[in-house]
Amino acid sequence: MLIKSLLTLRSPAGRQGRLSVLMFHRVHAQIDPLFSHDMHAQRFDEICRWLKSWFQVLPLDQAVAQLAAGALPPRAAAITFDDGYADNHDVALPILQRHGLCATFFISTGFLDGGRMWNDTVIEAIRACQSPVLDLSEIGLGRHSLDSGLNRCLTVEALLGQIKYLEPQMRQEAVRFVQRCAGEPLPDDLMMTSHQTRRMYEAGMQIGAHTCTHPILSSLTDVDARAEIAGGKRALEALLQQPITLFAYPNGKPGKDYLAEHVQMVREAGYSAAVSTAPGVSAMDADPFQLPRFSPWDRSKLMYGIRMLANLHNAQPQ
């Protein structure tokens, strides 16, 4: 009750309201043996129970409209997921429904129906590799020990950091090289199908766009960035036969992963709001096309609540 009372003080109703937007990606059915810190069903169920007890969780489009009108309820929050993983449908959806919660799922349309994101290719290649050493020195990415679970995790973290900001063509070539070195077939069912996406929408979840191929927008030409921003919207509208009004910037760091010109492109493409990955909460005067998001990493209910409370001190007019 104390956390709820403090949240009400920091996030009151009306014009002084604050919108907390939480961000998730995958929700594994069980603890991932290689990445035990990743979200899994039992933990997500706990978090949903906490959020429902503390916050008034709203659909994101409704929350954005109420924020702009100065009409948020106290302790307003919205839940979002990025990328479009199949476990969002198989694992997260039933948990959300059990708690009576709505979430917005931002889909990178180029990976629907059997695609795989570049970072997952790296992760699954390292997971599958049978060699105790991964030699990527030919492409300037060094040699990596894979002789333990810890070293595999460290290798994944190092490679993702090195590859992420490569020019798109170079990134694709590096990922292909990593996959070849692994020498094992990789899963092609990590992302949602078109049918699962439709089922999410029919179940009352919101669907938003996350580009076609999840590029770092700041690394693209203006022509390519516009195509990614508008293309994901068109594909989802064709799939769902509904307007798509919400957008999430890939990777989402303002001034690094996307720039002011990309915010303008999102406006011009016909979206009504967009979310970043900058921490904080939104006040009434926040830019609806750069809404911050935040998710605590704490394992205990008390620390999770304290972290959410602390985040409310970071209101971001933009």
Side-chain angles (χ1 to χ4, degrees):
M1 289 300 295
L2 176 60
I3 288 178
K4 186 174 181 179
S5 298
L6 293 173
L7 288 169
T8 303
L9 288 174
R10 291 300 306 166
S11 181
R15 299 177 66 84
Q16 298 303 312
R18 299 287 186 267
L19 175 61
S20 299
V21 183
L22 292 102
M23 174 179 59
F24 299 94
H25 291 84
R26 298 200 64 177
V27 181
H28 299 275
Q30 306 291 334
I31 295 176
D32 186 327
L34 189 57
F35 300 101
S36 59
H37 59 281
D38 281 4
M39 188 62 61
H40 55 86
Q42 182 179 353
R43 175 153 166 71
F44 186 63
D45 184 71
E46 283 183 331
I47 290 171
C48 285
R49 186 164 58 251
W50 301 341
L51 294 177
K52 187 167 184 180
S53 71
W54 292 329
F55 289 93
Q56 296 196 56
V57 178
L58 305 171
L60 182 59
D61 62 352
Q62 179 181 328
V64 171
Q66 292 184 4
L67 176 68
L72 280 177
R75 306 180 315 280
I79 298 171
T80 66
F81 284 78
D82 283 5
D83 302 333
Y85 286 100
D87 56 42
N88 293 178
H89 171 273
D90 297 341
V91 181
L93 176 60
I95 295 171
L96 289 165
Q97 290 177 313
R98 186 159 63 247
H99 291 281
L101 298 174
C102 177
T104 299
F105 294 82
F106 292 104
I107 310 296
S108 291
T109 55
F111 305 111
L112 290 173
D113 301 311
R116 186 174 56 246
M117 298 181 70
W118 74 267
N119 55 298
D120 289 309
T121 296
V122 173
I123 291 169
E124 296 306 321
I126 301 306
R127 189 194 303 274
C129 186
Q130 299 299 307
S131 172
V133 176
L134 181 64
D135 188 357
L136 303 175
S137 54
E138 183 178 331
I139 57 172
L141 295 179
R143 287 170 54 89
H144 302 270
S145 172
L146 304 181
D147 60 357
S148 69
L150 175 60
N151 281 337
R152 286 176 188 261
C153 288
L154 293 174
T155 297
V156 167
E157 291 177 6
L159 291 179
L160 295 184
Q162 289 175 286
I163 294 172
K164 178 180 291 185
Y165 289 103
L166 293 177
E167 181 273 331
Q169 183 61 36
M170 292 180 62
R171 185 172 75 177
Q172 187 176 36
E173 292 173 0
V175 170
R176 286 174 179 167
F177 191 91
V178 173
Q179 183 176 356
R180 287 198 302 271
C181 286
E184 296 288 336
L186 303 184
D188 59 4
D189 60 352
L190 297 179
M191 312 307 289
M192 277 196 277
T193 64
S194 294
H195 176 66
Q196 288 172 325
T197 305
R198 283 192 293 266
R199 285 194 58 190
M200 297 284 276
Y201 177 77
E202 291 164 358
M205 300 296 125
Q206 294 193 322
I207 303 297
H210 198 36
T211 70
C212 298
T213 64
H214 202 278
I216 303 295
L217 291 173
S218 60
S219 72
L220 302 183
T221 66
D222 285 354
V223 170
D224 289 342
R226 287 182 188 277
E228 287 280 349
I229 290 167
K233 186 177 195 292
R234 285 196 301 269
L236 289 170
E237 288 176 340
L239 175 63
L240 300 177
Q241 295 296 295
Q242 294 290 331
I244 298 297
T245 62
L246 301 171
F247 180 81
Y249 299 96
N251 220 52
K253 294 183 178 63
K256 183 175 184 180
D257 301 325
Y258 73 91
L259 309 173
E261 52 263 39
H262 302 114
V263 177
Q264 184 59 29
M265 291 176 192
V266 171
R267 291 176 184 269
E268 292 171 353
Y271 295 99
S272 61
V275 293
S276 72
T277 60
V281 294
S282 296
M284 184 179 173
D285 55 353
D287 180 353
F289 288 91
Q290 297 191 79
L291 299 172
R293 292 186 290 175
F294 176 74
S295 289
W297 51 91
D298 304 273
R299 299 283 175 161
S300 74
K301 181 178 182 179
L302 176 62
M303 287 307 302
Y304 198 97
I306 289 173
R307 195 85 61 182
M308 290 298 296
L309 182 62
N311 188 55
L312 284 166
H313 289 269
N314 188 17
Q316 295 191 5
Q318 306 248 348

